[in-house]
Amino acid sequence: MSVPFFNKSSEEIPLVLTKRTPTVIEQFTETYGVAPDFITRSPGRVNLIGEHIDYCDFSVLPMAIDVDMVLGIRVLDESENSITISNSDKRFVQRKFDLPLDGSFVNIDPSVSDWSNYFKCGLHVAHEFLKSLSPEKFSNRPLVGMEIFCDGNVPTGGGLSSSAAFICATALAIIRANMGPKYVVSKQDLMRITVVAEHYVGVNNGGMDQAASVCGEEDHVLYVEFKPQLKATPFKFPQLKSKQIQFVIANSLVVSNKHETAPTNYNLRVVEVTIAANLLATKYGVSIQKRNDGNSSSYGTLRDFMNAYYARYHGVTVPWDGDINTGIERLEKMVELVEQCLGSNKEGFTVDEIAAALNISREAFTNNYLTIFPVRFQVLKLYQRARHVYTEALRVLKSIRLLTSTEFNSDDDFFTSFGNLMNQSQESCDKFYECSCQQLNEICEIALANGSFGSRLTGAGWGGCSVHLVPAGAEAEKVKKALIDNYYKVKFPNISESEIDNAIIISKPTIGSCVYEL
């Protein structure tokens, strides 16, 4: 499928465009003295189910949301080989840089923290794409010069992928500016090139954020697979009899510094699930093939163990391809194996205990698993982490099976069924993966007591945002009011109305990246 292109004569222009474009056109014109040629837009995202399983190669269930990054762009004459970027947020001052005349890439210095670096990331991957697409045109000549105005309303620092929205909108703008309005960009290409963009500023992200931002569709959730290849398949929410589906997204305003807490939080979880996969492999006499990707998952993932187990004990030599029913059957078996193999040690394993179980020395264990990322721990909770990963991957597949059900007895039947899966996910994140926090738990309790059918953290956790399934209209407003009265005004007595507006978003699934020709 291609990235949607709209213009003023299009029969159906998405509401998000009609709401956002007039302001961007006005701000662009005030900044540069002329109107833009076209606009690109990419949204933020929220993950509904599938937390901390992407680095185990299991699929996730995000959706694009009704906050976004919108860029107004004017293409300059051939003699003007520079790019100027301005931002509606006055914290981000205008930047201008020249485009190399020989067609080489613009330099990105990740040691310098500047908002323009994220633009340059999108520029870089788009430039690489253009060089591969038309080497005779882009190998030795500069890209076209541009004036760009950026207007984003994705909250930063809340885990809703503001950086991915910015980079996807940027890459799309560069491609459109250089290839012209008749070139059709495929969603697969835009997703593929933007997945690696943040690597140029030192962020080793996965592909969920870009997949959701590029491939989002109205009233659809996305089944994002990472193996055997990155792929985003939209699944439509059911057409209910009298109610409509909405989500309240609430920021806890708790900031977890990922760099400072990584040794006991994120990095440690990656190490624990990798060790769990290898311990299961040792116990069941199967081999996990090492990878050469330079991180701890090079020693195998829990998905790798599942494939190896089915190859040995069931003669299935082809790895799982993402099929829903097959995946449910195999993941249910994995949960059984975790209970059998690791369930007797729920207090956690010491280094010596795991080294002995893996039949390697303490030194070899330390070198293999504990030196790639800095980690701190007293015991390694392998049972809890493996149980979460397999049950969470199972919930993703059960959600898809639920969405493809032909009918529901009532609207509440759908809300209750899907909400229960979200609630189970939150319970697992809290009790087994221990990536929730008191404030997120409190927000979920308040929302559930006031009309939410399903409430859970979204993003890495340890702070950040939560997401809540609600019927649209009065019920959504009731949940919002309860959170304002019982959480925000209690925890933050001096919070302003504008801060509350930024902290709570009510959204349906929305369209992903698109271009609007003026």
Side-chain angles (χ1 to χ4, degrees):
M1 294 182 66
S2 60
V3 172
F5 275 59
F6 302 96
N7 56 45
K8 293 178 181 179
S9 62
S10 297
E11 291 185 5
E12 293 187 11
I13 302 174
L15 182 60
V16 288
L17 278 179
T18 60
K19 288 194 304 183
R20 297 278 280 131
T21 52
T23 301
V24 174
I25 294 170
E26 180 182 349
Q27 291 177 314
F28 185 101
T29 305
E30 288 177 358
T31 302
Y32 296 109
V34 292
D37 297 324
F38 65 94
I39 283 171
T40 63
R41 171 196 178 269
S42 279
R45 68 96 187 99
V46 67
N47 194 25
L48 295 183
I49 296 180
E51 228 58 77
H52 287 282
I53 62 174
D54 54 342
Y55 48 82
C56 295
D57 293 332
F58 285 115
S59 306
V60 295
L61 206 67
M63 70 176 198
I65 57 177
D66 197 15
V67 288
D68 50 28
M69 173 60 77
V70 179
L71 307 184
I73 300 100
R74 185 170 82 95
V75 180
L76 302 179
D77 294 336
E78 289 185 6
S79 59
E80 300 179 75
N81 302 117
S82 65
I83 290 180
T84 303
I85 52 174
S86 304
N87 201 306
S88 60
D89 189 332
K90 301 308 178 186
R91 294 176 299 172
F92 305 125
V93 298
Q94 187 180 86
R95 299 296 188 205
K96 183 176 182 178
F97 51 89
D98 294 327
L99 294 165
L101 296 179
D102 63 356
S104 56
F105 297 113
V106 170
N107 181 58
I108 303 172
D109 184 357
S111 67
V112 176
S113 179
D114 188 87
W115 75 283
S116 65
N117 270 357
Y118 285 92
F119 178 89
K120 291 177 181 177
C121 287
L123 170 66
H124 185 97
V125 296
H127 196 178
E128 282 187 322
F129 174 71
L130 291 170
K131 282 178 178 286
S132 66
L133 186 69
S134 181
E136 69 283 355
K137 183 177 180 180
F138 296 106
S139 289
N140 302 307
R141 286 188 253 168
L143 298 176
V144 298
M146 288 175 281
E147 291 174 335
I148 298 175
F149 189 88
C150 311
D151 183 49
N153 60 9
V154 186
T156 57
L160 301 181
S161 300
S162 58
S163 58
F166 186 21
I167 286 171
C168 292
T170 297
L172 182 57
I174 302 301
I175 295 170
R176 156 60 186 86
N178 284 274
M179 293 300 294
K182 293 184 179 180
Y183 177 74
V184 177
V185 186
S186 76
K187 291 183 178 181
Q188 185 67 30
D189 279 340
L190 185 59
M191 176 176 64
R192 174 180 56 82
I193 67 172
T194 53
V195 161
V196 299
E198 288 186 63
H199 295 186
Y200 294 100
V201 288
V203 179
N204 191 23
N205 60 297
M208 174 178 66
D209 299 349
Q210 295 76 14
S213 188
V214 170
C215 300
E217 292 189 21
E218 290 183 350
D219 300 321
H220 287 70
V221 69
L222 294 170
Y223 177 54
V224 179
E225 301 171 75
F226 304 99
K227 294 288 182 180
Q229 64 178 4
L230 180 63
K231 182 171 69 171
T233 306
F235 284 88
K236 188 176 178 63
F237 279 105
Q239 186 70 42
L240 302 180
K241 295 180 175 65
S242 61
K243 295 181 179 181
Q244 293 185 342
I245 295 164
Q246 276 190 331
F247 293 89
V248 175
I249 302 157
N251 192 335
S252 68
L253 301 181
V254 175
V255 177
S256 174
N257 186 308
K258 292 181 181 179
H259 179 73
E260 293 179 1
T261 64
T264 56
N265 292 345
Y266 190 91
N267 287 356
L268 181 58
R269 299 301 183 276
V270 175
V271 169
E272 285 175 314
V273 294
T274 303
I275 296 169
N278 282 270
L279 185 53
L280 286 165
T282 301
K283 292 287 187 179
Y284 289 97
V286 300
S287 176
I288 298 179
Q289 187 173 0
K290 292 183 180 180
R291 309 178 190 182
N292 295 316
D293 54 8
N295 58 53
S296 66
S297 65
S298 63
Y299 283 90
T301 67
L302 287 166
R303 179 165 175 162
D304 291 331
F305 166 70
M306 183 176 78
N307 287 332
Y309 178 87
Y310 269 85
R312 173 166 182 176
Y313 291 97
H314 296 270
V316 181
T317 57
V318 178
W320 177 51
D321 63 359
D323 176 74
I324 305 300
N325 291 328
T326 302
I328 289 174
E329 175 187 330
R330 294 185 186 181
L331 286 166
E332 286 176 342
K333 181 62 178 180
M334 292 301 104
V335 175
E336 289 180 19
L337 298 185
V338 168
E339 293 291 342
Q340 294 170 10
C341 179
L342 304 175
S344 61
N345 189 341
K346 296 177 182 177
E347 299 302 315
F349 292 79
T350 66
V351 168
D352 289 332
E353 288 173 334
I354 299 176
L358 292 173
N359 301 315
I360 59 177
S361 68
R362 180 188 177 95
E363 291 72 25
F365 174 79
T366 301
N367 289 333
N368 289 348
Y369 300 103
L370 305 181
T371 57
I372 296 173
F373 296 128
V375 292
R376 295 195 307 272
F377 60 90
Q378 292 182 326
V379 292
L380 295 161
K381 297 184 178 181
L382 306 188
Y383 165 76
Q384 290 88 335
R385 310 316 185 216
R387 187 186 190 281
H388 168 79
V389 169
Y390 283 135
T391 59
E392 186 78 345
L394 189 55
R395 281 184 285 273
V396 170
L397 300 187
K398 287 182 175 179
S399 298
I400 297 297
R401 190 164 67 180
L402 181 67
L403 292 173
T404 53
S405 298
T406 54
E407 61 180 68
F408 298 91
N409 294 327
S410 67
D411 290 356
D412 281 358
D413 184 28
F414 168 77
F415 278 101
T416 299
S417 299
F418 198 90
N420 283 341
L421 290 168
M422 294 177 66
N423 293 331
Q424 291 166 19
S425 173
Q426 171 61 20
E427 182 179 18
S428 183
C429 285
D430 182 34
K431 294 183 178 179
F432 291 97
Y433 223 69
E434 297 179 275
C435 59
S436 190
C437 65
Q438 178 186 343
Q439 293 88 341
L440 285 169
N441 291 344
E442 189 172 337
I443 286 175
C444 291
E445 290 170 5
I446 293 168
L448 289 169
N450 287 276
S452 169
F453 283 83
S455 295
R456 63 179 296 277
L457 64 84
T458 184
W462 298 291
C465 284
S466 57
V467 59
H468 313 272
L469 172 64
V470 294
E475 289 93 336
E477 293 299 327
K478 180 183 176 184
V479 171
K480 179 178 178 179
K481 185 177 186 305
L483 291 173
I484 293 171
D485 292 342
N486 300 318
Y487 180 78
Y488 292 103
K489 290 187 175 179
V490 173
K491 298 287 187 182
F492 310 96
N494 298 319
I495 193 169
S496 67
E497 291 299 319
S498 63
E499 288 172 325
I500 289 175
D501 287 341
N502 288 330
I504 303 179
I505 298 165
I506 298 179
S507 180
K508 295 180 179 180
T510 186
I511 187 174
S513 301
C514 61
V515 178
Y516 186 62
E517 298 287 343
L518 300 176

